[in-house]
Amino acid sequence: SGRTGNDDGASRPLYMDVQASTPLDPRVLDSMLPYLTAYYGNPHSRTHAYGWESEAAMEKARRQVADLIGADSREIIFTSGATESNNMAIKGVARFYKSRKKHIITTQTEHKCVLDSCRSLETEGFRITYLPVKKNGLIDLKELEAAFQPDTSLVSVMTVNNEIGVKQPIHDIGEICRARKVFFHTDAAQAIGKIPMDVNNMKIDLMSISGHKIYGPKGVGALYVRRRPRVRLEPLQSGGGQERGLRSGTVPTPLAVGLGTACEVAQQEMEYDHKRISQLAERLVTKIMSDVPDVVMNGDREHRYPGCINLSFAYVEGESLLMALKDVALSSGSACTSASLEPSYVLRAIGTDEDLAHSSIRFGIGRFTTEEEVDYTVRKCIQHVKRLREMSPLWEMVQDGIDLKSIKWTQH
């Protein structure tokens, strides 16, 4: 866990950005190593032991992934990660059923790759409904029900949001979709292995999974595709017909093995991790909020995954705070969009004021986060928020009781 409080340039910042990526669990690395060295056969080679041993390892991994979500191992397709899984699920279903069905429902707060897949389908003539979310980040189930059209083929709603950590009512959405015989896809990259997920109980038809969000390797993921009622996809990738023809290309055995182990470890540790992470999250939020006024927690307080905490610090520029907190690795939202100066579209969708959206920071607490790291982050955060506010003319005006909303700012 990286560092003590010293500020020498050599030590790396401590890591509080587990929504972006997680460290590899040592148990995962141990399981992968043999397949990077001794067992290097192509898992699709049918004529020799090198192929068979790789294939056996790949199939064991498939079972481990399936077991975590209550699926049959034949329903697991290995991919390069959740972005590919999301693309496959959304474009795959849309294109397969396009002769009869041209409508898809998703939400405004989905991951970029879901929104971009939908945008790309719009250019092919599909109609997309982008459901708004309520102030707490959750969708309104009544609005979902009203959005269905006779030719709706798919609903895609993520389980846990990567920026604000809110957990959508997946079980209810699954019921609603099944009753209408519409397929239900969920991007579960931030949920899988962290909260219990069962595809049958939640009536999920397609689910996207990522390796590097659950202490597994980068570059591997999976797509769960239900067998009954059967979901059909048009594949994005053509070739040798691997993965039931849905995703051609040699399955990277070492990565698949890593994903499998990560899923098995997550299943064993889930309850313990969740309890520990909840306590650390509670500690972080309570300490910051009791010491600093005007801090807003974004997203619902109850329906959430506790390890993803998004706070807005009024009257402080988020970028300045991130710079000041250079010895803690944090972000102001999603890693995929952190280069743009636009405030997060997720915060915009929950109606966060523009200035508050610019002052938000995401704290990620994971399996290997320590209490010392949380306390260090809290201490530094409080210190810099207070310092930056003392430099802010807006903060001064607020302390003097001036309502900033009432000010007519002149254009220069």
Side-chain angles (χ1 to χ4, degrees), residues 14-18 284 328-330 362-365 369 374 377:
L14 60 87
Y15 192 73
M16 297 284 281
D17 201 17
V18 290
L284 179 128
V328 184
L330 294 159
R362 180 182 69 183
F363 300 84
I365 295 176
T369 308
V374 168
T377 302

Side-chain angles (χ1 to χ4, degrees), residues 78-89 113 223 236-237 247:
F78 286 116
T79 68
S80 63
T83 290
E84 186 186 0
S85 300
N86 285 333
N87 273 265
M88 272 177 72
C113 62
L223 178 63
L236 295 181
Q237 190 138 301
R247 203 251 184 212

Side-chain angles (χ1 to χ4, degrees), residues 9-80:
S11 72
R12 297 165 73 212
L14 60 87
Y15 192 73
M16 297 284 281
D17 201 17
V18 290
Q19 274 70 45
S21 198
T22 53
L24 200 63
D25 190 297
R27 292 164 284 192
V28 171
L29 180 62
D30 286 346
S31 71
M32 289 169 67
L33 278 171
Y35 297 94
L36 290 161
T37 53
Y39 302 102
Y40 45 75
N42 183 319
H44 314 291
S45 297
R46 282 287 152 77
T47 54
H48 50 68
Y50 292 86
W52 305 330
E53 64 203 12
S54 289
E55 184 186 28
M58 172 180 82
E59 291 309 327
K60 177 187 175 191
R62 204 186 295 280
R63 278 197 306 280
Q64 290 167 315
V65 177
D67 286 348
L68 178 60
I69 60 171
D72 180 307
S73 63
R74 293 171 298 179
E75 299 175 306
I76 302 299
I77 306 296
F78 286 116
T79 68
S80 63

Side-chain angles (χ1 to χ4, degrees), residues 166-363:
V166 298
K167 189 166 83 205
Q168 297 291 352
I170 295 302
H171 192 280
D172 300 337
I173 299 170
E175 295 278 356
I176 291 169
C177 293
R178 183 64 57 84
R180 288 171 173 68
K181 296 190 166 52
V182 170
F183 292 132
F184 174 36
H185 165 254
T186 187
D187 170 0
Q190 298 284 351
I192 200 84
K194 299 183 174 79
I195 58 174
M197 298 288 292
D198 183 298
V199 291
N200 294 315
N201 166 28
M202 295 172 157
K203 303 197 164 33
I204 294 166
D205 299 304
L206 301 116
M207 178 196 281
S208 301
I209 296 171
S210 168
H212 76 117
K213 308 292 187 189
I214 56 169
Y215 313 94
K218 293 169 182 60
V220 68
L223 178 63
Y224 157 78
V225 183
R226 180 175 288 283
R227 285 171 69 88
R228 358 186 123 67
R230 176 128 183 233
V231 182
R232 308 291 297 274
L233 304 176
E234 187 174 295
L236 295 181
Q237 190 138 301
S238 328
Q242 293 92 341
E243 298 301 279
R244 309 210 323 256
L246 293 180
R247 203 251 184 212
S248 288
T250 301
V251 172
T253 313
L255 295 180
V257 165
L259 176 62
T261 306
C263 285
E264 185 169 300
V265 169
Q267 198 167 4
Q268 292 159 0
E269 310 268 337
M270 193 185 303
E271 208 174 320
Y272 174 80
D273 278 350
H274 195 279
K275 200 167 143 196
R276 204 177 143 270
I277 287 168
S278 300
Q279 286 164 349
L280 289 177
E282 184 62 32
R283 185 179 180 99
L284 179 128
V285 174
T286 307
K287 285 191 160 193
I288 290 178
M289 289 196 161
S290 61
D291 210 333
V292 184
D294 298 320
V295 179
V296 179
M297 184 169 178
N298 296 305
D300 195 277
R301 292 298 288 257
E302 297 303 307
H303 303 278
R304 65 180 310 105
Y305 168 64
C308 179
I309 302 151
N310 191 306
L311 301 178
S312 291
F313 298 89
Y315 320 111
V316 173
E317 188 62 69
E319 293 302 316
S320 319
L321 186 51
L322 282 180
M323 293 302 211
L325 290 165
K326 61 181 181 302
D327 41 8
V328 184
L330 294 159
S331 77
S332 52
S334 150
C336 323
T337 50
S338 62
S340 74
L341 286 171
E342 282 289 289
S344 144
Y345 63 84
V346 173
L347 294 181
R348 203 180 296 148
I350 60 173
T352 307
D353 272 353
E354 184 97 359
D355 43 358
L356 265 186
H358 275 297
S359 66
S360 76
I361 302 279
R362 180 182 69 183
F363 300 84

Side-chain angles (χ1 to χ4, degrees), residues 115-126:
L115 297 175
D116 281 0
S117 293
C118 289
R119 295 259 179 267
S120 126
L121 287 173
E122 284 182 299
T123 66
E124 296 173 30
F126 291 90

